Amino acid sequence: MTDLTIASQGFSYASFESAAMTRLIEDTAHAWLRSFGLTNASAKQRLVTALRDALAQDSFAANDRTNMQDLLDQAAHDTIGGWFAQVTGQHDCYGSGKFSMLRCAFLSANRDGIWSEHFLDQTRTHHDLAIALSVQMMLPTPSLKSCEMPRQTLERRAS
Amino acid sequence: MNRISDPQNDPTPDHPKGSPDDAVAYDPAVRLRGPGVGARRFFLFGASLAATVYAAWLMADVLGADQLTIMEMVVVAFFSINFAWISLSFFTGIVGLILRGLKLDAITLKRLKPIARKGPLRSKNVVVIPVYNEDPNRVFAGLRASYESLAATGEIDAFDFFVLSDTRDPDIWIAEEMAWAKACTDLNARGKIFFRRRAENTERKSGNLKEFCETYAANYDHMIVFDADSVMSGDAMVNMAYLMENNPDAGIVQSPPQPTGRQTLFARILQFISRVHGPTMSAGLSFWCMGSSNYWGHNAIIRVKAFIECCGLPVLSGKPPMGGHILSHDFVEAAFMRKAGWRCWLIPQLEGSWEELPPNLIDFAIRDRRWCQGNMQHARLMVADGFKPLSRLHFFMGVMSFASSPLWLLLLLSSTIATLQNTQLTYSFFPGHFTMFPQWPVDRSFEMLVLLIFTIGMLVLPKIISILMVCLGRDRKQYGGVMVLMSGLLETLYSALQAPIMMMLHAQFVFSVLTGNQVGWDAQERDDAGVPFRAALKTHRTIIVIGLIWGAIAVFVDTAFFWWLSPILAGLVLSPWLTHYSSNLAIGKAARRMKLFVTPEEYDSPEELRALERITAENGGGGDVKDGLLRLIEDPYANALHSALLPARKPDARTAIEIGIIYEKLARLGIESLTRDEKLLILSWPVKPLDQIMAGRDASAEKSPDVLS
């Protein structure tokens, strides 16, 4: 029975979730939260819920652990990226570079744990967090300004 | 273009588009121009030539009193070449002494006065720090000290900083990233201090800068190039930018970096004499080079547009070490700048420019070996088409800084052979036939003495006068008071003993390069590292053997000749002791307590050096370079930062498989099992699998989480 048929028959996904799947979702959530330096229970519950929702909305071969893992990772990435987009008001929060920068900024801003409760919370306003993130955002390089540096030759006068 | 400043008929270079010099009145007080460039060079080269001719004649007279043998002619030839070299240096020093004594600006020949800026900077500048496997703590301590000093001038908005990493060591790589982030945070300098690492370090340092020029440099008008150990005062950097703004034909402005910060006896001696005598030589060089000065690779400001347009280095035909990529790029870049009509200036009065020296003779020699390989390539560029005559002279001087050693060695060896020949000859009182008048032996001992004094005088007189000037000057207290004389005397003795060692090493390096041997690219030792006696003995064993054999031959030939050679032989035989004890940190510190080899920075340290010391102490004297991969696994921030700094790309299928295999090995056998290249490979791509390992989610990691620690 696929998720699609479960959904079409009106059952909730969670009621059919196997123990292995629960473990996988929990571990995935734990890994992603740890990469943001978080142990907050509310944040974890929100991410777990988001992952379950993502699984419920998708169909895949339930016994394919690799695919599931990829799907969960992608779901976690998208969920957090979406939340960052909501917080910062910017839409380009999903790319690996920007996403990592925001992760850095969040880790810096949340050193004393004051933003842990806010993580993935869609109901709050995040104006202060947005300011905190902008203050902590790293900028590795300025804007690219490409040009060619021609090789000189030893045979002619330089132009 | 100012015709007074340089008689050579240069084309006026284009000014950078949009740069502040398009429609702005220049400050005449800082215009780089001066009278009589041709006369200056005529005097200097004329005097050098005259002294060389006189010395060569004296030598021929001494050796050829009876008759000049072929070997003696060889001696005269080598002597003349070497004498020309020291003669140029002597007159440069004499001119520098006069300029310092009269407190004259070497370029304008007017009364020396500090640069008084009229208004804020209008240009956008960047300080670039190319690094390769350097201690990140030291690199960023220097950066932070310079940044703080610059901020204190109020001109920080006109500058950015850019660390250009070519590092191949995975642990140092991650430490650099962390040090960069810390510097940005501590200095509140996000968007002011940048970091980028090259995935492929082709063409070494020049390639690193080239890549920067082709990507980000066009955002700036000027770039100040640092070495990994450079520190500059804010005033020095702002003054350099100000000079560039007001001299639109200047391509490079070089400051004379002063060595500082090392405590071993070896480094202290060099720091002392560089501080005492360096300004003399800088002033002299600036006097006759004018707008055709050289670029020393760091602590200089460069006009970005000019550099991009005309300093892309060619690849020399043939194989390394004489062919291939140009290693000592700085001289060549200056030559290309001059070729395109831009001027290169050395400004002796630019203070607050610092660098560090190798702590001991072995590391000094290792650096010289690398430089030798690069400088010997310049022999090919000397005759290349289109370069200015003075650029060719700089190339020649670069070559001679190493090639003079084998020439001195050949001179000494040919002298030995000539003396040996002379002892085998029976003097003939009647060399011709049918004469009633004998030809008496001619005593030339007085002329020999004159020649000896003349030669030694050329070598040491400017230095001695520099020391005396400091001793008689008002700031002698900053050099240890009257102990400056003792420092000068000991330095002269030390350099006399070290000279033959360097002669042998340089001769060996030149021979090695000419026979096709190459050296690798390693970071310079930047701690006060000592040399154990055994290591010194091992390094110098050949030199000792040569010294002993040479001494034995000299005794056999002529006892007087042995004593003549004894200063050289002493240096060779005593080389391991000299190297070992001069590298000793305790002796260096003891010398400091005795006010020997003291420099003004130690007496009254400038703000930027105090900051450097403070920041280095805060970092705990280094040791922050941990296992980079482990750090990423344990520390989410380091992990996120590293991911953010990686270029956005995806591995191809083959690389993805390789990465997968390495992660498997990591999970099963632990971090210690990975080679440096394996670590580099997995660190070169997005680090999502590390998150999995962190979480203990990966099956292998779950089984044995402790293998990672």
Side-chain angles (χ1 to χ4, degrees), chain A residues 108-141:
Chain A
S108 297
N110 194 42
R111 279 209 182 92
D112 47 8
I114 57 170
W115 302 109
S116 299
E117 273 296 328
H118 290 237
F119 194 73
L120 296 183
D121 190 343
Q122 313 279 355
T123 59
R124 292 179 191 243
T125 56
H126 296 294
H127 181 67
D128 290 345
L129 175 57
I131 293 171
L133 289 179
S134 70
V135 168
Q136 297 292 339
M137 274 296 274
M138 306 297 286
L139 184 62
T141 57

Side-chain angles (χ1 to χ4, degrees), chain B residues 309-327:
Chain B
E309 282 177 356
C310 63
C311 290
L313 297 181
V315 180
L316 299 178
S317 58
K319 289 180 181 175
M322 292 301 281
H325 293 299
I326 291 172
L327 300 183

Side-chain angles (χ1 to χ4, degrees), chain B residues 2 31 238 317 369 384 394 412 464 545 637 709:
Chain B
N2 186 344
R31 289 307 297 276
V238 174
S317 58
R369 173 63 181 89
H394 288 311
L412 292 167
I464 289 171
V545 171
Y637 181 78
S709 56

Side-chain angles (χ1 to χ4, degrees), chain B residues 135-145 163 176 179-180 183 193 195:
Chain B
D135 174 10
N137 288 313
R138 174 60 189 84
V139 171
F140 281 89
L143 182 154
R144 292 171 68 152
V163 178
E176 282 172 359
W180 166 72
I193 302 175
F195 178 87

Side-chain angles (χ1 to χ4, degrees), chain A:
Chain A
M1 185 182 292
T2 67
D3 298 303
L4 203 61
T5 48
I6 293 169
S8 65
Q9 288 169 7
F11 299 107
S12 73
Y13 175 84
S15 59
F16 284 86
E17 188 177 278
S18 68
M21 181 64 79
T22 302
R23 175 80 193 276
L24 191 60
I25 290 171
E26 294 269 333
D27 284 353
T28 304
H30 181 75
W32 279 91
L33 288 172
R34 184 170 169 179
S35 72
F36 281 82
L38 293 168
T39 52
N40 184 278
S42 311
K44 185 174 181 183
Q45 190 51 51
R46 285 185 208 116
L47 185 55
V48 166
T49 305
L51 293 179
R52 285 211 173 99
D53 289 348
L55 283 181
Q57 289 162 15
D58 211 325
S59 61
F60 59 97
N63 58 351
D64 190 338
R65 183 184 165 92
T66 309
N67 280 351
M68 268 195 292
Q69 188 64 74
D70 289 346
L71 190 79
L72 287 170
D73 282 335
Q74 189 60 50
H77 180 274
D78 291 348
T79 302
I80 298 168
W83 179 69
F84 274 140
Q86 183 197 342
V87 171
T88 61
Q90 298 169 357
H91 299 292
D92 56 340
C93 298
Y94 298 91
S96 65
K98 186 66 184 288
F99 186 85
S100 298
M101 276 299 166
L102 283 163
R103 182 153 74 101
C104 263
F106 184 84
L107 281 158
S108 297
N110 194 42
R111 279 209 182 92
D112 47 8
I114 57 170
W115 302 109
S116 299
E117 273 296 328
H118 290 237
F119 194 73
L120 296 183
D121 190 343
Q122 313 279 355
T123 59
R124 292 179 191 243
T125 56
H126 296 294
H127 181 67
D128 290 345
L129 175 57
I131 293 171
L133 289 179
S134 70
V135 168
Q136 297 292 339
M137 274 296 274
M138 306 297 286
L139 184 62
T141 57
S143 56
L144 192 69
K145 217 167 181 178
S146 297
C147 61
E148 192 190 352
M149 190 167 173
R151 278 194 193 282
Q152 302 298 311
T153 69
L154 298 173
E155 281 76 43
R156 62 172 173 79
R157 281 190 162 273
S159 55

Side-chain angles (χ1 to χ4, degrees), chain B residues 231-486:
Chain B
V231 176
M232 287 190 80
S233 72
D235 267 333
M237 288 186 277
V238 174
N239 283 339
M240 286 164 84
Y242 190 70
L243 285 172
M244 292 297 271
E245 286 181 359
N246 288 284
N247 292 278
D249 58 351
I252 297 174
V253 169
Q254 172 73 58
S255 71
Q258 290 293 340
T260 188
R262 294 270 67 89
Q263 295 295 327
T264 61
L265 182 64
F266 173 84
R268 291 187 66 82
I269 290 172
L270 291 190
Q271 283 167 191
F272 168 77
I273 203 61
S274 298
R275 200 72 177 93
V276 171
H277 188 47
T280 303
M281 297 307 289
S282 296
L285 266 177
S286 180
F287 171 83
W288 64 264
C289 287
M290 292 293 282
S292 292
S293 287
N294 213 346
Y295 166 45
W296 298 336
H298 56 91
N299 294 36
I301 190 166
I302 296 174
R303 193 173 300 279
V304 167
K305 184 174 184 289
F307 192 78
I308 291 173
E309 282 177 356
C310 63
C311 290
L313 297 181
V315 180
L316 299 178
S317 58
K319 289 180 181 175
M322 292 301 281
H325 293 299
I326 291 172
L327 300 183
S328 290
H329 55 92
D330 37 15
F331 285 32
V332 188
E333 285 157 353
F336 275 119
M337 278 275 190
R338 291 295 299 125
K339 187 176 177 180
W342 297 93
R343 295 181 196 288
C344 306
W345 297 96
L346 168 64
I347 312 293
Q349 63 268 33
L350 274 174
E351 293 189 338
S353 172
W354 311 103
E355 65 171 346
E356 288 179 2
L357 287 168
N360 58 63
L361 198 144
I362 304 272
D363 286 310
F364 191 78
I366 289 169
R367 189 183 72 172
D368 271 4
R369 173 63 181 89
R370 204 171 62 241
W371 286 2
C372 176
Q373 188 169 320
N375 283 19
M376 294 308 284
Q377 282 183 325
H378 294 173
R380 297 182 58 185
L381 298 170
M382 266 164 35
V383 292
D385 186 46
F387 288 126
K388 303 276 185 198
L390 243 59
S391 298
R392 295 181 197 281
L393 179 65
H394 288 311
F395 287 141
F396 176 70
M397 289 166 77
V399 172
M400 279 300 286
S401 61
F402 292 98
S404 62
S405 286
L407 289 175
W408 277 112
L409 183 60
L410 286 170
L411 170 64
L412 292 167
L413 289 176
S414 53
S415 306
T416 309
I417 296 168
T419 311
L420 184 62
Q421 281 180 342
N422 287 343
T423 56
Q424 307 302 313
L425 293 173
T426 307
Y427 190 81
S428 170
F429 289 89
F430 298 96
H433 296 289
F434 311 118
T435 175
M436 294 177 64
F437 303 101
Q439 185 172 321
W440 300 106
V442 182
D443 181 11
R444 286 283 191 264
S445 53
F446 177 74
E447 285 82 354
M448 279 180 72
L449 193 64
V450 170
L451 185 61
L452 181 68
I453 292 170
F454 190 45
T455 309
I456 292 177
M458 296 289 260
L459 277 169
V460 299
L461 193 62
K463 192 161 75 175
I464 289 171
I465 297 175
S466 290
I467 293 165
L468 287 174
M469 277 174 70
V470 167
C471 186
L472 298 173
R474 275 182 295 184
D475 54 353
R476 67 169 173 272
K477 196 176 174 186
Q478 299 183 344
Y479 292 87
V482 290
M483 287 302 280
V484 70
L485 284 178
M486 181 57 75

Side-chain angles (χ1 to χ4, degrees), chain B residues 73-91:
Chain B
M73 288 179 197
V74 172
V75 171
V76 174
F78 285 135
F79 176 78
S80 304
I81 297 168
N82 285 323
F83 198 91
W85 177 241
I86 61 171
S87 179
L88 188 64
S89 175
F90 170 79
F91 285 106

